[in-house]
Every structure is written in structure tokens, then in C-alpha cells.
Amino acid sequence: MKKVIYNKFDKRNITDLPVASFPGRIIVIMTAGETEKAVSYLLKQTILGVDTETRPSFRKGDVHKVALLQVATEDTCFLFRLNMTGMTPAIIRLLENTEVPMIGLSWHDDILSLKRRHDFNPGYFIDLQSLVGELGIEDLSLQKLYANIFGKKISKRQQLTNWECDTLDDRQRLYAATDAWACIQLYKEIVRLHETGDYTLQIVEEEVTNP
């Protein structure tokens, strides 16, 4: 039976879906010295999921630099606390690598944020937003894409928490790891569906509101 996907997924239908969360180990990188070993491990993998987090601004004019770079494999996620480590040569080497694909969502914005910390030449990045259109999907948010393709919910409750706090709590760590890991899962399934045609696209018409 073919998988049913929608061109647009109604956000109201996400609430009651089962929650998806990263099932592997999470390693927090807090010092510049730790980045070398972590990056060496990551560059030996076949695919990586990437995302960033920035401390939210609640006052006009307040702009914070990206605080966290999360990089996931299928079973391990490294959380690079950039507000503590800075953009080390190892992290730059990871971001400029042209061998291991790094899968992200709306990654152009993340690259701009990272470049505000230190300039670099972006390596082998694949943005999911450039792929989903091939299946007829119009939604571009991670939460809607994951709900559409896997029928599960990615919680966004931790998004507006303080990513520069002294210690990230368990919920923040799991949230950050899940977002990066989810990019890998989405990429693999999008590619599979595109190659096999094993899906049916249902068109959801937008409701027209009378003036």
C-alpha cells in the first residue's frame, strides 16, 4: 500500500500525533579542545543531520549570535556550544567538508548565522526545502514535514528557551538532537519516495473565507 502524503499538512492535526524523539546518545561539547575529537568522529560518518539554536530575543534591537550547533548521525548527536567553544578550526573543517553530506532545513539562514561568528566556505550541505517540492509538498517547516511524512510530532516547546544558559537541561538537549536527527530521517525517506514512487499525493484545497 502506497504512503499517503499531502501537499499541505493541517497544523491542527499535529497535536494528537505520537511524539518523535532522538533515540541515541547525546554528547555536549563545551570546550574548544573537545571539538577536534568530535569532528574527527563525525567526518568518518556517511551522512549527518545539522541544525542550530540561538538565544531568543524578546526586545527590539537585541540580536544574539548562534549559540548551539547540533550535528547528528543515526545514533549519536554532538551539541557544540558555540557560545563557549567559539568557531574552532575543527568546527570550520566540519562545515567546509565536501565529502560527508550534511542535511539541514532552511540551512541558508543557519549558514548566515554561523558566518556571523566566523566566516567559512560552506561545504556539502543539502537543504530539505529544495527537495520536498519534487514530491508535491508545499510545507517547509520541520514539524509539518515530519508529521506529513512519518505521522509523528516533533515538539517545539524548547525552541524559545535560553540556549546560552550555563547548563542545557535534558529537555533542551533532546529537542536539539531530535531536530538534527530528524533531518536525516526526512532526507532518506524523501529520496526513497522520489526514487520508488511509492506514495500518493493528496491535494488539500485551501478554504476560501467570504469577505
Side-chain angles (χ1 to χ4, degrees):
M1 186 174 180
K2 291 187 175 183
K3 173 176 285 191
V4 177
I5 59 176
Y6 303 87
N7 65 316
K8 294 183 179 180
F9 197 89
D10 192 334
K11 191 172 184 178
R12 293 171 295 183
N13 295 332
I14 295 177
T15 303
D16 297 327
L17 294 177
V19 176
S21 58
F22 177 62
R25 60 176 179 159
I26 301 173
I27 301 172
V28 182
I29 304 299
M30 301 177 64
T31 67
E34 293 173 315
T35 64
E36 183 66 43
K37 185 177 180 180
V39 168
S40 294
Y41 175 86
L42 289 167
L43 290 179
K44 294 176 183 176
Q45 308 308 307
T46 58
I47 190 171
L48 300 172
V50 292
D51 195 18
T52 67
E53 303 296 339
T54 301
R55 177 182 175 181
S57 299
F58 298 109
R59 291 188 301 179
K60 187 176 181 180
D62 283 353
V63 179
H64 302 288
K65 291 183 178 180
V66 58
L68 188 72
L69 168 66
Q70 54 262 49
V71 187
T73 70
E74 293 278 8
D75 58 14
T76 303
C77 184
F78 290 89
L79 305 182
F80 295 91
R81 301 208 63 189
L82 300 182
N83 58 308
M84 297 180 178
T85 67
M87 293 281 279
T88 68
I91 292 174
I92 297 296
R93 189 167 76 252
L94 172 67
L95 296 173
E96 291 187 338
N97 111 82
T98 57
E99 300 295 325
V100 185
M102 297 171 284
I103 317 300
L105 185 76
S106 187
W107 191 245
H108 175 75
D109 295 336
D110 293 87
I111 287 177
L112 291 178
S113 296
L114 289 165
K115 281 189 170 186
R116 292 189 186 103
R117 279 200 170 272
H118 193 289
D119 195 27
F120 63 95
N121 296 314
Y124 189 3
F125 289 107
I126 298 174
D127 195 324
L128 292 172
Q129 290 186 343
S130 66
L131 301 179
V132 293
E134 297 175 359
L135 301 181
I137 295 175
E138 299 174 41
D139 291 323
L140 298 178
S141 75
L142 183 68
Q143 190 179 53
K144 283 188 175 182
L145 287 176
Y146 208 88
N148 194 352
I149 291 179
F150 292 114
K152 292 185 178 182
K153 174 176 64 178
I154 292 181
S155 174
K156 307 303 288 184
R157 290 182 179 179
Q158 302 303 309
Q159 187 174 26
L160 296 180
T161 56
N162 182 8
W163 294 101
E164 295 181 6
C165 57
D166 291 340
T167 302
L168 298 178
D169 64 30
D170 290 343
R171 290 171 297 179
Q172 285 179 303
R173 292 197 294 269
L174 184 59
Y175 168 89
T178 298
D179 275 9
W181 167 80
C183 289
I184 297 177
Q185 309 313 309
L186 283 168
Y187 174 76
K188 291 168 59 179
E189 184 65 0
I190 289 168
V191 170
R192 185 189 76 82
L193 293 176
H194 180 66
E195 291 179 346
T196 64
D198 186 26
Y199 68 96
T200 299
L201 178 70
Q202 289 196 6
I203 304 299
V204 178
E205 300 291 347
E206 292 186 12
E207 294 184 3
V208 177
T209 303
N210 292 325

